[in-house]
């Protein structure tokens, strides 16, 4: 048995190096092994979480892997309400399908099907709108993110009992957190991150008493089950944002029948017809609630809030 011990300072050598924050409870990372001595795509890999525990305080040691899917460990690490509901996506024995089944270079075909050799060639046209930078007026937006499934990445929508009336077949999932939880390492940047090197840089140490302005909030959930997603300020009871799907009813562009889209919440300048951005402190208590149609069971649903914020000035 060979043991290798690596040590380093908490503070990164440069702004481009990772800096450990003493208030971080966990650090997500990726394990990977190669095929040989030559640099190539890894033979096996999985994500994991390094728990940061307090010295001298009792801690629970839990089993994180109950089995493997395509030789990749399946982690039973659900938290919060998704675990309280005993969601089937949380446990290896009840997992029915989702992201662990479709990693890179894996094909979701039956054993008697031949994997087609051809690749689809796809063209994408992007249009970027921009404004010239104005000192003291133009502010960087940083990424803010939270999951209703509390870092599970996906969850199953259980099928409602047949005796439940159709209009009442709604599954609810909620999670509570503090606004500042979205700005620590592993979430969206972390302390001492750099806007120039980290597109997700959201540094809680730069937040003043004025807090953080929320500029954009978009729900990521799956059709056709998704009914609504709410973002709530628990300290005031205010509904900050609600996203609901809009279904097309004509053949006109952006209103095509059979398709849907989910308009986001956007704040900005009243001169542009927008509401003033709401401000939040790092310790503001928040809640995410997602409502889904549970007439049929759905595997791998997601309840993400993908948002952008700015330091209030």
């Amino acid at each position: 048995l060979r043991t290798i011990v690596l040590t380093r300072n908490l503070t990164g050598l440069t702004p481009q190096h990772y800096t450990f924050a003493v208030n971080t409870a966990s650090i997500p990372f990726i394990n990977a092994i190669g095929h040989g001595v030559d640099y190539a795509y890894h033979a096996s890999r999985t994500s994991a979480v390094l728990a940061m525990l307090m010295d001298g305080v009792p801690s629970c040691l839990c089993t994180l892997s109950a089995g493997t899917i395509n030789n990749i460990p399946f982690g039973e690490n659900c938290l919060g309400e998704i675990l309280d509901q005993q969601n089937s996506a949380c446990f290896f024995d009840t997992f029915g399908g989702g992201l662990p089944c479709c990693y890179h270079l894996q094909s979701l075909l039956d054993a008697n099907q031949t994997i087609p050799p051809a690749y689809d060639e796809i063209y994408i046209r992007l249009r970027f709108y921009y404004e010239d930078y104005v000192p003291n007026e133009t502010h960087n937006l940083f990424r803010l993110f939270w999951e209703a499934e509390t870092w599970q990445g996906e969850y199953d929508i259980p099928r409602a009992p047949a005796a439940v009336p159709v209009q009442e077949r709604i599954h609810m999932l909620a999670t509570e957190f503090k606004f500042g939880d979205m700005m620590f390492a592993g979430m969206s940047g972390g302390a001492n991150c750099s806007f120039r090197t980290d597109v997700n840089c959201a540094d809680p140490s730069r937040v003043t008493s004025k807090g953080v302005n929320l500029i954009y909030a978009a729900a990521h959930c799956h059709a056709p089950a998704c009914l609504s997603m709410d973002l709530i300020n628990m300290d005031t009871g205010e509904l900050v944002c609600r996203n609901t799907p809009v279904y097309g009813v004509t053949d006109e562009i952006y209103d095509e029948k059979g398709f849907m889209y989910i308009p986001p919440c956007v704040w900005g300048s009243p001169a542009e017809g927008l509401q003033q951005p709401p401000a939040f402190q790092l310790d503001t208590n928040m809640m995410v609630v997602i409502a889904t149609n549970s007439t049929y069971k759905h595997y791998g649903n997601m309840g993400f809030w993908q948002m952008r914020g700015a330091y209030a000035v």
Side-chain angles (χ1 to χ4, degrees):
L1 175 66
R2 183 176 64 170
T3 301
I4 299 176
V5 179
L6 302 176
T7 61
R8 53 154 287 183
N9 294 328
L10 290 175
T11 303
L13 184 64
T14 71
Q16 285 73 42
H17 289 79
Y18 186 84
T19 292
F20 294 91
V22 295
N23 54 3
T24 298
S26 61
I27 302 175
F29 68 98
I30 296 175
N31 287 315
I33 59 174
H35 290 277
V37 296
D38 296 328
Y39 182 76
Y41 190 81
H42 32 255
S44 182
R45 73 281 183 219
T46 186
S47 60
V49 176
L50 178 65
M52 310 298 287
L53 306 178
M54 295 182 63
D55 187 24
V57 177
S59 300
C60 175
L61 300 179
C62 305
T63 301
L64 296 180
S65 179
T68 62
I69 299 177
N70 293 321
N71 297 318
I72 298 175
F74 181 92
E76 294 185 341
N77 48 14
C78 285
L79 301 170
E81 185 169 331
I82 186 177
L83 180 60
D84 295 339
Q85 294 183 5
Q86 295 290 286
N87 193 272
S88 55
C90 293
F91 309 103
F92 183 77
D93 291 341
T94 56
F95 180 78
L99 289 177
C101 298
C102 53
Y103 282 97
H104 183 53
L105 298 180
Q106 294 178 354
S107 299
L108 299 180
L109 297 177
D110 292 335
N112 61 349
Q113 291 181 295
T114 301
I115 299 176
Y119 289 88
D120 292 329
E121 188 169 324
I122 299 174
Y123 296 88
I124 299 177
R125 174 179 291 177
L126 301 177
R127 178 177 294 173
F128 295 91
Y129 295 89
Y130 71 94
E131 295 179 351
D132 292 332
Y133 175 79
V134 179
N136 301 320
E137 292 185 15
T138 303
H139 304 286
N140 279 311
L141 299 185
F142 47 78
R143 181 174 183 257
L144 298 168
F145 178 81
W146 202 259
E147 298 180 5
E149 55 269 37
T150 318
W151 308 114
Q152 175 65 9
E154 59 182 1
Y155 70 99
D156 295 339
I157 301 172
R159 183 172 184 171
V164 176
V166 173
Q167 65 274 16
E168 297 179 12
R169 295 175 183 175
I170 300 175
H171 178 257
M172 307 291 292
L173 184 65
T175 182
E176 297 184 27
F177 59 100
K178 292 186 181 298
F179 192 91
D181 292 340
M182 297 187 290
M183 300 182 66
F184 289 112
M187 310 297 180
S188 298
N192 301 315
C193 60
S194 170
F195 272 125
R196 298 188 65 180
T197 59
D198 185 353
V199 68
N200 294 322
C201 180
D203 187 350
S205 67
R206 300 178 191 174
V207 178
T208 68
S209 59
K210 294 183 179 180
V212 175
N213 288 138
L214 190 60
I215 306 299
Y216 171 88
H220 174 102
C221 54
H222 296 174
C226 182
L227 298 176
S228 66
M229 275 191 67
D230 292 348
L231 181 66
I232 302 169
N233 183 335
M234 293 297 290
D235 292 340
T236 63
E238 176 190 6
L239 176 63
V240 178
C241 175
R242 170 174 290 170
N243 281 187
T244 56
V246 176
Y247 292 85
V249 295
T250 70
D251 291 329
E252 299 295 325
I253 187 171
Y254 301 132
D255 189 44
E256 293 92 339
K257 188 175 182 179
F259 292 84
M260 57 165 282
Y261 71 100
I262 305 178
C265 294
V266 180
W267 297 268
S269 168
E272 296 176 321
L274 300 173
Q275 295 183 4
Q276 287 280 7
F280 302 93
Q281 300 298 321
L282 296 179
D283 61 354
T284 300
N285 292 296
M286 308 294 294
M287 174 183 279
V288 168
V289 182
I290 180 172
T292 50
N293 187 315
S294 60
T295 300
Y296 303 99
K297 181 167 183 172
H298 295 266
Y299 296 104
N301 190 56
M302 297 178 179
F304 299 170
W305 273 115
Q306 306 198 73
M307 300 176 282
R308 295 294 184 272
Y311 304 116
V313 294

